[in-house]
Amino acid sequence: RTYKRCYCIVKVTMSASNGDASMLHYGANERRAILLGKLGGQKVLRQAIDTFYNKQLEDERLMFFFRGVNVEIIKWHQFNLMSIAFTAVPDNFSLEDLLLVRHKRLFDMGLSEVYFDMVAKHFEDTLIEMNVDEALIKEALEVVMPLRKVFAQGARDALERKKKADRTRYAVMAIAVAAVAVAVFKLAKSKRK
């Protein structure tokens, strides 16, 4: 499967590195100790993502977002995104653009900051269950929580798309009604003659 934008970069890099997500980061070899390392590294992150997604899949409020989706692919993307988020986000990478552009369908399904809060709570609960230090949980949440505003924006954008589609639909219906009215008027007029 071919992925656009960062997905393409992630896929090519992951293929070239046999799954080593550290290849995704600029200057990975020179990095200082960072949050991912403090959390326990990639192995712990993989365990956290498995637990995290199990919680989401079991949450009836979130289940419908996962219908017809290969969860293993989503987990793989999540691992890569969290690896980036918990290390050093490249200057040319915009998670906001990725979310707003690539996930329009989810926002159109109702994804919003309300669901973000549910998912963030599952993330926090996952870290607590994994006995991650409270200070590290706080630090991890500080990385994730600014994305809440992106989910609010995505929901607003979806609402605007719906309003625009509704206006277009109403305009088409009005034109159709007008065309039918004109046709009926002409037919009635022709029968009077």
Side-chain angles (χ1 to χ4, degrees), residues 26-38 86-88 139:
Y26 299 112
N29 294 331
E30 298 99 32
R31 283 195 315 262
R32 58 183 173 16
I34 44 178
L35 184 56
L36 181 59
K38 291 179 192 176
F86 293 151
T87 55
E139 193 175 342

Side-chain angles (χ1 to χ4, degrees), residues 3-68:
Y3 299 93
K4 296 177 183 170
R5 291 190 175 173
C6 87
Y7 288 148
C8 183
I9 295 167
V10 168
K11 184 176 182 184
V12 169
T13 306
M14 289 296 288
S15 298
S17 65
N18 294 322
D20 181 4
S22 67
M23 297 297 292
L24 292 172
H25 313 293
Y26 299 112
N29 294 331
E30 298 99 32
R31 283 195 315 262
R32 58 183 173 16
I34 44 178
L35 184 56
L36 181 59
K38 291 179 192 176
L39 289 170
Q42 293 176 359
K43 182 179 178 184
V44 171
L45 182 59
R46 283 186 203 283
Q47 291 171 333
I49 288 170
D50 283 338
T51 302
F52 174 56
Y53 271 93
N54 289 339
K55 287 180 177 300
Q56 291 178 76
L57 292 168
E58 292 168 2
D59 188 330
E60 291 179 8
R61 302 167 299 173
L62 298 171
M63 276 187 209
F64 71 98
F65 288 114
F66 295 98
R67 284 194 192 115

Side-chain angles (χ1 to χ4, degrees), residues 9-160:
I9 295 167
V10 168
K11 184 176 182 184
V12 169
T13 306
M14 289 296 288
S15 298
S17 65
N18 294 322
D20 181 4
S22 67
M23 297 297 292
L24 292 172
H25 313 293
Y26 299 112
N29 294 331
E30 298 99 32
R31 283 195 315 262
R32 58 183 173 16
I34 44 178
L35 184 56
L36 181 59
K38 291 179 192 176
L39 289 170
Q42 293 176 359
K43 182 179 178 184
V44 171
L45 182 59
R46 283 186 203 283
Q47 291 171 333
I49 288 170
D50 283 338
T51 302
F52 174 56
Y53 271 93
N54 289 339
K55 287 180 177 300
Q56 291 178 76
L57 292 168
E58 292 168 2
D59 188 330
E60 291 179 8
R61 302 167 299 173
L62 298 171
M63 276 187 209
F64 71 98
F65 288 114
F66 295 98
R67 284 194 192 115
V69 175
N70 184 330
V71 175
E72 292 307 312
I73 290 173
I74 293 175
K75 286 180 181 181
W76 180 77
H77 286 300
Q78 187 72 53
F79 174 80
N80 290 309
L81 289 172
M82 284 187 165
S83 293
I84 291 169
F86 293 151
T87 55
V89 178
D91 291 336
N92 65 346
F93 181 81
S94 172
L95 186 54
E96 181 175 343
D97 288 346
L98 173 74
L99 290 170
L100 293 175
V101 172
R102 293 282 301 176
H103 294 86
K104 280 183 185 177
R105 181 184 67 83
L106 294 174
F107 289 116
D108 290 343
M109 289 172 61
L111 186 63
S112 68
E113 68 276 15
V114 172
Y115 291 102
F116 174 87
D117 293 341
M118 292 176 203
V119 171
K121 179 66 174 139
H122 287 308
F123 178 61
E124 180 180 18
D125 291 346
T126 296
L127 295 177
I128 290 168
E129 285 177 25
M130 294 182 70
N131 296 314
V132 173
D133 182 69
E134 190 175 320
L136 288 178
I137 293 173
K138 183 179 180 212
E139 193 175 342
L141 290 173
E142 286 172 357
V143 169
V144 173
M145 292 312 288
L147 293 174
R148 187 179 194 278
K149 70 178 193 254
V150 177
F151 283 74
Q153 182 63 51
R156 285 191 299 272
D157 292 350
L159 182 59
E160 285 304 313

